[in-house]
């Protein structure tokens, strides 16, 4: 394919196509060395999975194709500016670059306003509408102690 615009056109095409298939208006593609690795479409309502955003679906598929949890060297193209969930997934996947077409204002116009999440993350947790509580128990560090002691662990 080639250019950013061409990969974005594919992401947008996937988003539009997905609406007819019971999904949301979002599409994403993962590209490495100017070759398509994987695609994703929003499947939140179709699969009743609130994490099945197009970017996350594409990242999961690309990791399976590549046999790795790291997509270092890859580019994520998406039909719309990634929400905080998708940005975090891209960071964890270590993609080199994220390129998007529509922005958060376009998404809000379509009924997908994630600006409240961006604002929430800049607000002290004690002011959030959902309680986030830390309860330390003696075993709290046990999983990490076991992880560090596990000689066959895969570091990431």
């Amino acid at each position: 394919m080639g250019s950013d615009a061409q990969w974005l056109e594919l992401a947008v095409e996937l988003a539009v196509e997905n609406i007819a298939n019971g999904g949301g208006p979002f599409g994403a593609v993962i590209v490495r060395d100017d070759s398509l690795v994987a695609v994703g479409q929003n499947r939140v309502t179709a699969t009743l999975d609130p994490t099945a955003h197009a970017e996350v679906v594409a990242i999961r598929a690309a990791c399976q194709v590549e046999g790795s949890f790291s997509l270092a060297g890859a580019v994520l193209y998406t039909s719309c500016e990634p929400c905080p969930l998708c940005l975090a997934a891209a960071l964890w996947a270590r993609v080199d670059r994220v390129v998007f077409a529509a922005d958060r204002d376009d998404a809000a116009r379509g009924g997908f306003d994630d600006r409240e999440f961006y604002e929430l993350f800049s607000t002290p947790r004690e002011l959030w509408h959902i309680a986030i509580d830390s309860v330390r128990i003696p075993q709290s560090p046990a999983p990490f102690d076991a992880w560090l002691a596990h000689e066959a662990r895969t570091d990431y």
Side-chain angles (χ1 to χ4, degrees):
M1 264 185 128
S3 72
D4 287 345
Q6 289 172 311
W7 291 117
L8 287 172
E9 286 173 11
L10 176 57
V12 169
E13 180 181 306
L14 288 166
V16 172
E17 171 187 290
N18 195 46
I19 296 165
N21 295 325
F26 302 95
V29 299
I30 304 284
V31 175
R32 178 187 298 286
D33 300 324
D34 203 31
S35 294
L36 181 65
V37 177
V39 302
Q41 294 171 302
N42 180 287
R43 304 306 295 160
V44 171
T45 56
T47 62
L48 306 179
D49 177 355
T51 67
H53 292 201
E55 298 90 338
V56 174
V57 172
I59 287 168
R60 289 174 179 161
C63 288
Q64 291 301 304
V65 167
E66 297 206 342
S68 174
F69 57 82
S70 175
L71 296 176
V75 179
L76 168 62
Y77 290 93
T78 182
S79 62
C80 188
E81 181 177 2
C83 72
L85 168 75
C86 296
L87 283 175
L91 290 168
W92 277 109
R94 296 169 180 82
V95 298
D96 283 9
R97 186 171 171 234
V98 176
V99 183
F100 61 88
D103 63 20
R104 64 183 77 176
D105 295 319
D106 295 311
R109 187 177 61 77
F112 298 89
D113 193 352
D114 56 6
R115 288 179 287 206
E116 69 182 85
F117 297 124
Y118 289 101
E119 293 168 7
L120 181 66
F121 290 131
S122 65
T123 304
R125 281 191 182 171
E126 61 270 11
L127 300 177
W128 287 20
H129 68 280
I130 181 174
I132 309 292
D133 298 317
S134 174
V135 178
R136 295 290 296 186
I137 59 173
Q139 303 88 340
S140 291
F144 299 102
D145 294 339
W147 172 255
L148 292 171
H150 186 62
E151 291 180 18
R153 74 178 179 267
T154 301
D155 290 324
Y156 62 99

